[in-house]
Amino acid sequence: MSSAIEICPSILSADFARLADEAAAVGAAGADFLHIDVMDGHFVPNLTLGPPIVRSLAKATDLALDCHLMVTDPDSLLDDFAEAGAQKISVHLEACAHLHRTVQRIGALGMEKGVALNPHTAFSLLEPILPELDFVLVMSVNPGFGGQSFIPAVLDKVRAIDAWRQAHNPDLKIQVDGGIKPSTIAAARQAGVDWFVAGSAVFGTDDYASAITGLRMAAG
């Protein structure tokens, strides 16, 4: 486990009529980077943001942009997101027919390489790709919608990833997305999570700075 945590507000929970202002507000409130949920209406039952929005956000904030591709064909989008200004990309293991090739392409485009896992996906399926990654995104809800409840069973998978990195690559980061709030963040931190995606726990409050500070304090 690394010494510091990072809080990554999910723009999916922001006011879409004010995205530039919302990005600036969470940056001023102490966010570490901005999480962007990209959904295609096929891999998950929702349709959200694409490269044009990322390009606009890149002009509106100094925060690093972390794009989580919940899409059936991530390979067709990697160049577009790199050009738009994404610094981190995670693709779903469940969506990639040739995962090593996809991950290598992300790196060749100059972005940090991540693989995301749905709650039911076993650690054993991830292990062969771990040496290639900068981070792993563990979904702690079923992807597709914000505001869901945290699934505690995923923490066993986080512990397995943490044990692997302690043995093989201490620089690997573990990210968790779904149901993160003051009452769930401590258990996730203790399991080994470094990066916490928080949607309604930040954007659903009236004081983003207090919300982000509260998450950090609750993590311990």
Side-chain angles (χ1 to χ4, degrees):
M1 186 189 305
S2 64
S3 59
I5 70 167
E6 298 197 31
I7 304 296
C8 330
S10 172
I11 202 73
L12 183 64
S13 296
D15 180 348
F16 275 26
R18 303 174 53 253
L19 286 186
D21 291 341
E22 293 275 66
V26 292
D32 294 291
F33 53 91
L34 197 62
H35 188 79
I36 301 171
D37 289 304
V38 179
M39 307 182 189
D40 63 357
H42 187 261
F43 181 71
V44 293
N46 200 354
L47 186 65
T48 59
L49 310 173
I53 298 295
V54 173
R55 188 176 298 109
S56 295
L57 285 170
K59 297 174 183 177
T61 180
D62 293 329
L63 292 174
L65 303 180
D66 168 37
C67 294
H68 173 197
L69 303 190
M70 288 171 272
V71 301
T72 299
D73 183 16
D75 297 87
S76 67
L77 297 172
L78 297 179
D79 289 67
D80 290 339
F81 277 98
E83 187 276 331
Q87 286 104 334
K88 309 171 192 286
I89 287 272
S90 54
V91 296
H92 269 265
L93 180 151
E94 302 87 359
C96 295
H98 305 286
L99 185 58
H100 279 84
R101 184 172 69 192
T102 302
V103 167
Q104 288 166 357
R105 181 60 183 163
I106 295 170
L109 289 167
M111 298 179 289
E112 292 185 45
K113 309 177 295 293
V115 166
L117 301 177
N118 285 336
H120 72 275
T121 302
F123 166 75
S124 60
L125 298 176
L126 175 72
E127 193 168 6
I129 194 69
L130 281 173
E132 306 287 335
L133 302 182
D134 297 303
F135 67 101
V136 177
L137 169 53
V138 177
M139 292 301 300
S140 45
V141 298
N142 289 295
F145 296 96
Q148 300 182 64
S149 296
F150 185 85
I151 299 173
V154 304
L155 295 181
D156 287 340
K157 186 159 49 185
V158 172
R159 294 183 189 99
I161 299 167
D162 184 45
W164 182 94
R165 73 169 167 187
Q166 290 183 44
H168 302 285
N169 179 15
D171 293 329
L172 181 74
K173 300 300 182 183
I174 303 174
Q175 184 177 40
V176 71
D177 181 1
I180 290 298
K181 53 188 177 180
S183 62
T184 58
I185 194 170
R189 176 58 174 167
Q190 289 165 8
V193 176
D194 310 287
W195 298 349
F196 296 89
V197 177
S200 56
V202 175
F203 286 111
T205 72
D206 295 325
D207 187 336
Y208 297 166
S210 292
I212 291 171
T213 299
L215 287 169
R216 293 190 197 282
M217 292 179 64

